[in-house]
Amino acid sequence: MARIALIAKAQKKPKFKVRHRNRCRLCGRSRGYLRKFQLCRLCFRQLALRGELPGVIKSSW
């Protein structure tokens, strides 16, 4: 419930511009956010390993 409330609150325009907080599109997590993909690190890793993110491959050397 609290997570849903935070996501709804983040969608509204903040009173001051600096109060904006980036959130993951899938889970709403605010920390570990990757701007390029608009996902948190956990969702990014999950989608990348399943091959659902185009252009992202697991590195090995």
Side-chain angles (χ1 to χ4, degrees), residues 11-39:
Q11 289 174 345
K12 292 192 314 184
K13 187 178 180 204
K15 187 173 183 180
F16 301 103
K17 200 173 185 179
V18 294
R19 289 187 184 172
H20 174 73
R21 187 79 170 139
N22 291 325
R23 293 197 170 268
C24 175
R25 285 185 292 145
L26 298 180
C27 64
R29 183 181 168 92
S30 62
R31 297 182 179 195
Y33 180 81
L34 301 170
R35 254 187 212 177
K36 185 175 181 180
F37 299 97
Q38 297 179 353
L39 297 170

Side-chain angles (χ1 to χ4, degrees), residues 46-54 56:
Q46 196 174 37
L47 293 174
L49 289 175
R50 280 193 262 154
E52 297 179 9
L53 292 177
V56 176

